[in-house]
Amino acid sequence: MLLAVDVGNTNTVIGVFAGDVLRAHFRIETRRSGTEDEYAAALSSLFALHGLPFRPVAEGEPEDSGVHAGIIATVVPPVLRGFEALLRRYLSIEPVVVGPGTRTGIPVLYDNPREVGADRIVNAVAAYERHHAGCLIVDFGTATTFDVVTPRGEYLGGAIAPGIGISADALYRAAAKLPRVDISRPKSVIGKTTVSSMQSGLVYGYVGLVDGLVDRMKAEVDYPMRVFATGGLAPLIARESRTIDETDEFLTLTGLRLIHQLQPARTVPTPARPREGTRS
């Protein structure tokens, strides 16, 4: 099985693939101070809940008898070391880390390709594999990203906006009389309470932001684009949006699986033996 890890600023989403099939998926809080032992404890419990084996695949065993490969995309560099150590120590895997030099099959037309977040490239790979034409991906995370892929399968660029959660938190922190609210669709756009008024501004205001940016991006290119939405709040906004064509909460995990298929085989390096007379 393939372990795909998407580390976001707020949550880390983990998928377990058997071939092309997503067998299980988990969402845990992203902790910058987490250790490989803590991640292993969490994952072994989650695997057990889904009836999956959390162990390496021994030579000669079928790949679905354990975890045989791993791939990581992260926008939080401090978390990377813990997940890499988890895969090496507990699963005997040398993981693929999506970044500069990783085979993705997607040419990046950004002025400085190294500036593009790994999650944005991963989403582009998954969307283009599905549509094989111009597409635009809206990812609702801590930040909301908009990413354009050309009909030739090139990553063109996009936009980054504050996420809905950031906006809601800013209202609570900066305005003394405004409460913290759940982000959910109110009964009407015209709120009759403070809470429903805030929910209206957050949800419908964000729908307007999404539709406005999508319209402007479509106007700047000379080809049609199918608009994909992904991320935790994608279903909420997509229901109200007139520009989103398709919602897929597993788009990033699918992109990680596709990118992993492009990589050469990897092995865990054998640790060097300490020289005689030195302390290890």
Side-chain angles (χ1 to χ4, degrees), residues 270-276 278:
T270 303
R273 296 179 61 182
R275 295 180 181 177
E276 185 177 353
T278 62

Side-chain angles (χ1 to χ4, degrees), residues 53-266:
F54 183 73
R55 68 177 185 85
V57 176
E59 185 175 353
E61 288 185 322
E63 290 185 349
D64 61 358
S65 63
V67 181
H68 77 282
I71 183 168
I72 305 169
T74 179
V75 296
V76 190
V79 179
L80 176 59
R81 183 174 181 178
F83 272 103
E84 284 184 305
L86 154 72
L87 289 166
R88 290 171 180 147
R89 178 179 177 185
Y90 287 94
L91 298 172
S92 300
I93 291 170
E94 182 63 25
V96 174
V97 178
V98 181
T102 305
R103 296 179 185 176
T104 64
I106 292 277
V108 179
L109 305 185
Y110 230 49
D111 290 344
N112 182 358
R114 292 178 177 271
E115 291 181 356
V116 185
D119 55 333
R120 302 175 73 183
I121 299 300
V122 171
N123 285 339
V125 169
Y128 187 74
E129 174 65 21
R130 176 172 300 178
H131 190 45
H132 286 288
C135 47
L136 194 163
I137 307 99
V138 187
D139 189 348
F140 296 91
T142 305
T144 297
T145 56
F146 299 74
D147 299 294
V148 174
V149 183
T150 73
R152 297 174 59 182
E154 304 157 321
Y155 177 85
L156 181 62
I160 302 173
I164 309 178
I166 289 177
S167 301
D169 193 57
L171 281 175
Y172 169 71
R173 293 180 181 276
K177 288 191 174 183
L178 295 184
R180 194 182 295 276
V181 299
D182 292 330
I183 301 173
S184 59
R185 179 183 181 275
K187 294 181 179 179
S188 63
V189 179
I190 302 173
K192 298 297 182 64
T193 67
T194 298
V195 169
S196 63
S197 295
M198 292 175 67
Q199 289 173 331
S200 176
L202 290 166
V203 174
Y204 296 115
Y206 222 81
V207 170
L209 181 152
V210 169
D211 288 345
L213 273 173
V214 170
D215 284 341
R216 287 175 178 270
M217 288 182 174
K218 284 184 172 182
E220 284 193 4
V221 300
D222 59 357
Y223 46 83
M225 295 190 293
R226 184 167 183 80
V227 181
F228 295 85
T230 190
L233 290 173
L236 172 65
I237 302 302
R239 279 195 296 269
E240 307 300 329
S241 169
R242 59 176 171 77
T243 59
I244 293 174
D245 300 308
E246 183 176 339
T247 301
D248 183 354
E249 64 178 309
F250 304 125
L251 192 69
T252 311
L253 294 179
T254 298
L256 286 171
R257 175 181 60 79
L258 292 169
I259 290 174
H260 185 269
Q261 292 175 350
L262 299 176
Q263 311 311 307
R266 305 170 74 89

